Amino acid sequence: MRRIGVLGGSFNPIHLGHLLLADDLREALALDEVRFVPARHPPHKPDRDLAAAEHRYAMTKLAIRGNPHFTVSRVELDRPGPSYTVDTLERFRREAEPTATFFLLLGSETFLDLLSWKEPQHVAALARLAVVPRTGSGFDADTIQAQKLLQELGQERWIRVPPALPRPEPSRGIFLVSATSLPVAASELRRRARKGRSLCYRIPEAVADYIVAHQLYQAEG
């Protein structure tokens, strides 16, 4: 039974925070694959300062090159209209073997906004949700807001990792995963690129070279 993590985002640009988080989640949830899904038209983000979808896809491919557990999908790039997660997960489910389990990997701020998504309850039915508290976010899974969201999504409880994954895994519940969350902001990386400042130690070298070669993020956003 394959366990596939789905990590969506604009990846504008992809950086070491994304990669480290994906690797931590792969280990914590015993994933066979982490599938990066760049969005063509992120429904909750303005297009301002958004690099062309093909550039963001190319940078993601460069960033994960050489990691046998990481893949990148074009599913949202090749689909017209807003990049809704529920449509992506439905496509993945149709194409996967029946025994595959999908895990939607989310930061805590994104999780708290989940009810504004298209068909959030169906999203939670198509994939197990795995939530990572962002560094400095102050996210508390025991607050009334978080508990109410848990219930509205049709889940029963938090499954905290660590400790180790429970065996057998409960069929309902949202994983709350303690994972490394680097304080790297894509908006700051875009500003640095615009000003010609160093991107070292923040994004993979190949991605930095790509940004320079294609003169990305030069216009004021």
Side-chain angles (χ1 to χ4, degrees):
M1 181 179 74
R2 284 185 59 76
R3 297 166 65 87
I4 303 166
V6 177
L7 184 59
S10 57
F11 301 120
N12 187 43
I14 192 166
H15 53 69
L16 295 183
H18 295 128
L19 300 172
L20 185 55
L21 178 66
D23 192 54
D24 264 9
L25 287 167
R26 183 189 65 80
E27 286 191 334
L29 297 172
L31 303 177
D32 299 295
E33 173 190 348
V34 176
R35 189 174 297 175
F36 291 75
V37 187
R40 174 177 288 280
H41 298 296
H44 295 87
K45 288 188 178 182
D47 286 342
R48 179 174 56 86
D49 216 15
L50 187 67
E54 291 298 336
H55 283 314
R56 293 182 284 110
Y57 173 75
M59 288 189 286
T60 304
K61 281 190 70 175
L62 288 171
I64 68 170
R65 185 173 56 190
N67 188 322
H69 300 290
F70 288 177
T71 62
V72 59
S73 170
R74 291 189 56 92
V75 64
E76 293 186 357
L77 304 185
D78 296 336
R79 187 175 67 224
S83 300
Y84 291 121
T85 298
V86 66
D87 298 332
T88 298
L89 292 175
E90 285 182 337
R91 170 78 175 271
F92 287 165
R93 291 293 323 167
R94 287 196 303 270
E95 295 178 347
E97 59 268 29
T99 58
T101 301
F102 287 91
F103 295 78
L104 183 62
L105 312 178
L106 303 167
S108 50
E109 290 98 337
T110 302
F111 170 74
L112 291 174
D113 195 43
L114 202 61
L115 290 183
S116 70
W117 288 22
K118 180 184 177 183
E119 301 180 44
Q121 287 82 8
H122 191 35
V123 168
L126 290 167
R128 304 299 302 267
L129 303 183
V131 177
V132 180
R134 297 289 191 186
T135 300
S137 68
F139 176 76
D140 184 351
D142 296 321
T143 62
I144 293 174
Q145 180 189 13
Q147 291 294 328
K148 181 181 179 182
L149 184 51
L150 191 76
Q151 298 304 317
E152 291 197 32
L153 291 171
Q155 304 300 310
E156 296 178 346
R157 65 188 180 96
W158 292 102
I159 305 168
R160 298 175 189 267
V161 183
L165 288 171
R167 290 289 185 263
E169 286 181 3
S171 60
R172 300 171 73 83
I174 296 177
F175 293 95
L176 184 63
V177 187
S178 177
T180 305
S181 177
L182 289 179
V184 179
S187 58
E188 174 60 21
L189 294 175
R190 294 193 295 272
R191 281 192 291 269
R192 295 180 73 90
R194 188 158 49 244
K195 295 177 181 179
R197 298 183 62 191
S198 172
L199 298 173
C200 290
Y201 312 116
R202 298 166 180 86
I203 62 178
E205 184 177 356
V207 175
D209 290 343
Y210 187 96
I211 290 172
V212 172
H214 293 272
Q215 297 184 317
L216 301 184
Y217 310 119
Q218 296 305 302
E220 289 288 342

